[in-house]
Amino acid sequence: MEKVYLAVDFLLTHKLIFTLLIIMLISLVKRIVLSKIRGEEAFLSEDQRKWMSRTKNGTFTIIVVLLFMLWQSEINEFALSVTAIAVAIVVASKEIILCFTGSIQRASSRSFRIGDWIEVGKLSGEVIEHNLMATVIQEIDLSHGQYHYTGKTATLPNSMFFTYPVKNLNFMKRYVYHNFSIVVKDFVNLYPLLPELTEKIEHHCEDFIEVARRYNSVIEKHAGVDLPGSEPHIEIGSAPTGEQIVHYMIFCPTEKASHLEQEIRKDFMEKYHEVFPEQTQ
C-alpha cells in the first residue's frame, strides 16, 4: 500500500508525466472500444456510427475533465495573471489564434496529411506543406474534369478550416468517378443505343477494369459506405428547354479520365450519326 501512495505522490508531483499517462490510457481504451463497435462489417450501420461518435466525444470529455482537475491550481493562477490583458490579447491576435486552433483541429481530426488531395471552399489541390499557421496546396483543376495541376500554389490560412468544410479527395489521385454529359437537341429514342454504347465503354476500360474493381472495394471498406461501383453508368434525362441529356459516369484511372471522355463522346457521335442520319444533315 505504501508503494501505491508513493506512486500517487510521484505522479501528482510530476503532473506532465501523469497527463501523458492519462491521455495514453484513455486513447487505448477508446481504440479498443471503437474496434469492438466496428467489428468485421464492411459497411457501418447508423447505430454503429452513433456509438462510435459517442465514444469519441465521451473519451474527449473525460480527458478534458481529468486534465482540468489535475491542473486546476495552475489554471487558476494563470487565469488571474492574464485577466487584465486577456481581452486586448484576443482582439489583437484573433486571426493568429484562429489559425493556431485551426491547425489543432486539423491535427486532431486527421482530415488530411501531406500528399493528400483536398478541397476547401472553391480551392482544390495537393497538400505540399502545412504548419501551425497555414496549409500550402498545389492547385488542381477539378471544375473542368481535367484533374491536372494548374501550376499555381495556394496558401490557405488554417482559420479557413472553421469557415469551409474540408473535403479529402485523396482516393481521386489514382481512380476517380468521372462524370460528363452529352446534350442531344432532337427528341429521338436514344435507349436502343445504350447496350452498344455500354459495350464500347467496357472495351475502353478492359485494360484496367479488374484493378478498378479491387480499388473500388478497398475504398468501400475504408470508408464504410456502399459506393456506386466500378461499372459504367449511362442515364438519359432532359433539360428544361426540351433537349435530351445523356449522362455518363465511369470509374477510371485519373490520368485517363479526359482521354476516355473523348473516346466515349466520339463513339456516341458515330453511333448517333449511324442510327439517325437524317438528324445530322
Side-chain angles (χ1 to χ4, degrees):
M1 198 68 182
E2 184 178 352
K3 292 182 178 180
V4 175
Y5 289 137
L6 290 174
V8 172
D9 290 338
F10 175 82
L11 292 174
L12 292 176
T13 304
H14 300 80
K15 292 185 178 181
L16 186 59
I17 297 177
F18 197 12
T19 298
L20 294 175
L21 288 175
I22 290 173
I23 294 175
M24 291 173 62
L25 179 60
I26 294 178
S27 298
L28 178 61
V29 172
K30 180 185 74 172
R31 192 167 186 175
I32 294 173
V33 173
L34 290 176
S35 177
K36 294 292 184 182
I37 294 173
R38 185 181 183 94
E40 300 296 329
E41 299 294 331
F43 306 117
L44 296 177
S45 66
E46 185 176 348
D47 288 338
Q48 285 177 308
R49 292 184 187 278
K50 287 181 180 178
W51 279 110
M52 290 176 74
S53 178
R54 290 168 184 166
T55 300
K56 292 176 182 179
N57 294 333
T59 52
F60 178 76
T61 302
I62 292 172
I63 290 176
V64 171
V65 171
L66 290 178
L67 294 186
F68 179 80
M69 294 171 62
L70 180 62
W71 294 91
Q72 185 175 4
S73 58
E74 287 80 359
I75 292 173
N76 289 336
E77 292 177 5
F78 177 77
L80 290 173
S81 64
V82 301
T83 298
I85 59 173
V87 176
I89 292 176
V90 171
V91 172
S93 57
K94 176 183 176 182
E95 192 66 25
I96 295 176
I97 294 173
L98 285 174
C99 288
F100 180 70
T101 52
S103 176
I104 296 175
Q105 186 270 342
R106 177 202 59 78
S108 61
S109 65
R110 298 179 181 178
S111 53
F112 61 85
R113 58 185 178 181
I114 290 179
D116 285 356
W117 284 16
I118 64 170
E119 182 179 343
V120 184
K122 295 183 178 181
L123 295 173
S124 55
E126 180 175 337
V127 180
I128 58 176
E129 182 183 351
H130 59 69
N131 51 49
L132 292 177
M133 300 303 297
T135 298
V136 183
I137 64 172
Q138 194 73 41
E139 191 179 47
I140 299 172
D141 181 16
L142 298 182
S143 59
H144 300 97
Q146 300 298 317
Y147 314 105
H148 59 66
Y149 295 99
T150 65
K152 302 176 184 177
T153 301
T155 301
L156 313 177
N158 290 336
S159 57
M160 289 183 66
F161 302 151
F162 293 110
T163 308
Y164 302 99
V166 179
K167 299 179 183 180
N168 192 312
L169 312 174
N170 198 41
F171 80 91
M172 293 174 61
K173 289 182 69 175
R174 291 189 58 194
Y175 278 79
V176 65
Y177 284 105
H178 185 59
N179 296 269
F180 61 94
S181 299
I182 299 175
V183 179
V184 179
K185 180 180 178 181
D186 300 299
F187 194 82
V188 293
N189 186 9
L190 298 175
Y191 284 95
L193 279 62
L194 297 189
E196 186 171 345
L197 292 175
T198 302
E199 185 178 340
K200 287 181 177 293
I201 296 175
E202 291 174 348
H203 174 70
H204 292 311
C205 300
E206 62 183 3
D207 292 339
F208 59 81
I209 188 63
E210 290 300 325
V211 178
R213 287 174 182 150
R214 291 196 297 270
Y215 191 68
N216 184 267
S217 177
V218 169
I219 297 173
E220 286 185 331
K221 187 174 182 180
H222 178 74
V225 295
D226 187 13
L227 296 176
S230 57
E231 305 303 324
H233 298 270
I234 308 177
E235 297 178 353
I236 298 177
S238 58
T241 52
E243 297 91 346
Q244 293 190 93
I245 300 177
V246 184
H247 180 76
Y248 286 86
M249 183 178 72
I250 56 174
F251 187 68
C252 62
T254 304
E255 70 274 7
K256 294 184 178 181
S258 180
H259 174 72
L260 285 171
E261 177 181 340
Q262 296 305 311
E263 291 292 328
I264 294 169
R265 286 181 181 274
K266 177 175 175 288
D267 292 338
F268 179 87
M269 299 300 180
E270 291 176 348
K271 188 62 181 176
Y272 184 81
H273 178 73
E274 176 186 336
V275 177
F276 307 106
E278 69 280 359
Q279 305 294 338
T280 57
Q281 292 178 356

